[in-house]
């Protein structure tokens, strides 16, 4: 039996995993919003590699291969099924390269293969479920061949799809993380409660169970408290950095109440006009600190994440990461700094401005 490197690290302390590649690559101009297919690993591998490096610099211990939506069904939707395997292998190779390239003297990071919500899974429909099983199996196979150290299954809103994903992941013997994403009805779409789903995932052998995506800190945290109490295994918490609320638990239906003169042409804030709902870095830091205090060691940020927020997660739980060199230093600000070299007329002006 090979050692479980993920569990070893989690038993000792926090493990940080940057997610949210979809939104960040789209913001950088290398992906079509709405369609959301990760062609970047083939079209602009250098862009993806660099984003991984930035997240790693900011403290991510896991380099998750960007294969989200890179599954057979999505490739059929865009009519490029022949690129499915090259896309997956390229994303995995890039992630592996970055994971092995950590600063001198530090241990390599963990490269994670990834499968996610298929969006064709249908409750009580063996035909669709068989198809999803095939999609997961081929992607996990490529992840193993490209040297994945662990596997992440994420963003599942059907409990049974998550169970199926875990069953396939477990066959490899690699460490597994399975995080789910309940929609606005606050339970899984096939009726199971969030906590029961996590308990069952633990029984099925996941090393980490928990939540990712769809929910911001305010509507994810209450579930995390219950999950932490209900399971013995490690728990994962990767919210979106948006201000969801009890009335609007997920980012799919957040209304823009700012009387925006330029609403999105598609009539909703998701996914391209969520900006006014963005959490500041301190809110994300507080979330991570509170989650860590609960005993949650697997932490990160999902859609909306950027390297600045990942550094905030790391520093809020007491870690120093390479990007800490450039952490906030208001001391030397030209108007608000306390440094003696700052001219008095400027700090006095700053007090008023
Ligand atoms: Zn996400």
């Amino acid at each position: 039996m090979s050692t479980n490197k993920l569990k070893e690290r989690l038993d000792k302390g926090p493990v940080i995993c940057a997610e949210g590649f979809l939104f960040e690559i789209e913001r950088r101009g290398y992906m079509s919003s709405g369609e959301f297919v990760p062609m970047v690993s083939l079209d602009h591998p250098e862009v993806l590699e660099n984003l991984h490096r930035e997240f790693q610099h900011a403290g991510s211990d896991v380099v998750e291969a960007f294969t989200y939506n890179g599954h057979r069904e999505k490739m059929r939707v865009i009519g490029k099924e022949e690129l499915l395997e090259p896309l997956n292998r390229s994303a995995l190779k890039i992630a592996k390269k970055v994971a092995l390239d950590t600063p001198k003297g530090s241990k390599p990071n963990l490269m994670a293969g990834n499968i996610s919500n298929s969006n064709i899974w249908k409750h009580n429909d063996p035909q669709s479920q068989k198809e999803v099983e095939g999609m997961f199996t081929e992607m996990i196979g490529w992840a193993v061949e490209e040297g994945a150290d662990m596997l992440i299954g994420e963003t599942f809103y059907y409990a049974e799809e998550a169970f199926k994903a875990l069953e396939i992941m477990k066959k490899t013997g690699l460490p597994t993380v399975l995080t789910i994403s309940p929609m606005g009805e606050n339970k899984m779409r096939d009726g199971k409660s969030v906590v029961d789903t996590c308990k069952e995932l633990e029984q099925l052998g996941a090393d980490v169970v928990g939540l990712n995506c769809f929910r911001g800190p305010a509507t994810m945290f209450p579930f995390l408290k219950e999950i932490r109490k209900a399971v013995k295994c490690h728990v994962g918490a990767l919210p979106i950095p948006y201000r969801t609320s009890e009335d609007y638990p997920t980012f799919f239906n957040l209304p823009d109440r700012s009387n925006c003169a330029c609403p999105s042409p598609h009539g909703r804030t998701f996914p391209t006009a969520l900006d006014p709902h963005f959490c500041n870095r301190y809110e994300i830091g507080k979330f991570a600190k509170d989650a860590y205090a609960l005993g949650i060691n697997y932490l990160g940020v999902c859609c909306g994440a950027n390297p600045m927020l990942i550094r905030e997660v790391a520093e809020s739980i007491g870690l120093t990461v390479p990007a800490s060199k450039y952490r906030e230093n208001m001391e030397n600000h030209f108007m608000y700094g306390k440094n003696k070299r700052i001219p008095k007329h400027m700090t006095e002006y700053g007090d008023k401005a």
Side-chain angles (χ1 to χ4, degrees):
M1 264 308 262
S2 62
T3 54
N4 186 327
K5 282 190 254 177
L6 173 67
K7 197 164 170 302
E8 263 174 30
R9 291 193 193 193
L10 283 164
D11 288 344
K12 279 191 212 140
V15 170
I16 294 176
C17 176
E19 290 190 353
F21 289 86
L22 201 84
F23 273 29
E24 188 60 16
I25 289 289
E26 192 273 337
R27 279 196 289 232
R28 292 177 180 211
Y30 296 94
M31 173 182 283
S32 170
S33 177
E35 180 179 280
F36 288 134
V37 185
M39 294 300 291
V40 65
S41 73
L42 292 175
D43 293 348
H44 293 279
E46 74 291 353
V47 169
L48 181 57
E49 181 179 327
N50 201 48
L51 180 57
H52 280 305
R53 288 189 189 283
E54 289 177 21
F55 275 131
Q56 188 161 269
H57 175 72
S60 187
D61 302 297
V62 177
V63 186
E64 183 181 20
F66 185 28
T67 57
Y68 184 91
N69 269 350
H71 54 69
R72 189 168 290 279
E73 180 56 28
K74 195 76 188 188
M75 298 306 280
R76 279 182 188 141
V77 169
I78 64 163
K80 291 186 178 157
E81 203 177 345
E82 74 282 4
L83 294 179
L84 171 72
E85 186 175 340
L87 182 154
N88 273 261
R89 288 199 187 274
S90 177
L92 288 155
K93 280 188 198 335
I94 292 166
K96 188 72 185 177
K97 182 181 170 191
V98 176
L100 292 174
D101 191 15
T102 47
K104 221 174 163 196
S106 56
K107 54 185 184 287
N109 278 332
L110 300 171
M111 190 276 264
N114 169 241
I115 52 173
S116 310
N117 53 314
S118 67
N119 305 324
I120 58 166
W121 182 275
K122 204 170 160 200
H123 192 44
N124 290 332
D125 177 36
Q127 171 84 31
S128 74
Q129 297 179 2
K130 199 87 214 146
E131 235 176 286
V132 173
E133 186 173 351
M135 281 159 48
F136 288 166
T137 303
E138 62 190 0
M139 289 176 80
I140 292 299
W142 296 322
V144 171
E145 284 171 20
E146 298 295 342
D149 302 296
M150 57 182 274
L151 298 170
I152 298 173
E154 39 123 332
T155 325
F156 294 108
Y157 44 85
Y158 282 102
E160 284 178 9
E161 188 179 26
F163 301 152
K164 180 54 76 182
L166 182 59
E167 180 193 312
I168 295 164
M169 286 156 63
K170 286 289 294 176
K171 283 183 195 160
T172 65
L174 289 172
T176 51
V177 175
L178 209 309
T179 50
I180 55 173
S181 312
M183 293 272 193
E185 61 262 58
N186 294 323
K187 59 181 181 187
M188 305 306 282
R189 287 210 63 200
D190 35 15
K192 229 180 228 319
S193 84
V194 172
V195 173
D196 284 349
T197 305
C198 286
K199 279 161 76 174
E200 201 157 334
L201 287 166
E202 179 185 33
Q203 281 156 18
L204 291 169
D207 293 301
V208 179
V209 303
L211 300 179
N212 78 291
C213 213
F214 296 2
R215 287 162 187 268
T219 52
M220 183 177 278
F221 200 76
F223 277 122
L224 293 170
K225 277 204 236 172
E226 289 182 52
I227 295 166
R228 184 57 287 176
K229 271 188 244 154
V231 301
K232 288 193 180 62
C233 65
H234 285 288
V235 174
L238 303 95
I240 52 160
Y242 296 100
R243 292 170 180 163
T244 53
S245 65
E246 212 171 301
D247 289 341
Y248 302 101
T250 72
F251 65 0
F252 291 119
N253 47 19
L254 278 176
D256 187 345
R257 294 200 190 87
S258 63
N259 292 324
C260 176
C262 304
S264 75
H266 47 78
R268 53 178 68 243
T269 59
F270 177 87
T272 45
L274 284 163
D275 312 62
H277 295 288
F278 206 62
C279 294
N280 70 33
R281 63 185 71 189
Y282 311 107
E283 291 170 89
I284 295 303
K286 183 180 184 319
F287 171 87
K289 197 174 173 196
D290 292 348
Y292 188 55
L294 275 186
I296 293 176
N297 280 14
Y298 186 89
L299 296 160
V301 182
C302 204
C303 299
N306 57 40
M308 173 268 285
L309 293 177
I310 293 300
R311 179 181 61 188
E312 201 68 26
V313 168
E315 294 198 331
S316 68
I317 53 170
L319 301 174
T320 300
V321 297
S324 298
K325 182 179 175 188
Y326 307 104
R327 73 159 67 99
E328 179 178 308
N329 185 4
M330 287 297 281
E331 185 74 12
N332 292 341
H333 188 267
F334 79 100
M335 211 158 57
Y336 301 119
K338 299 281 182 269
N339 186 318
K340 287 194 193 84
R341 294 253 348 143
I342 313 289
K344 204 159 173 254
H345 72 279
M346 289 311 298
T347 52
E348 279 172 5
Y349 181 68
D351 286 341
K352 287 179 235 143

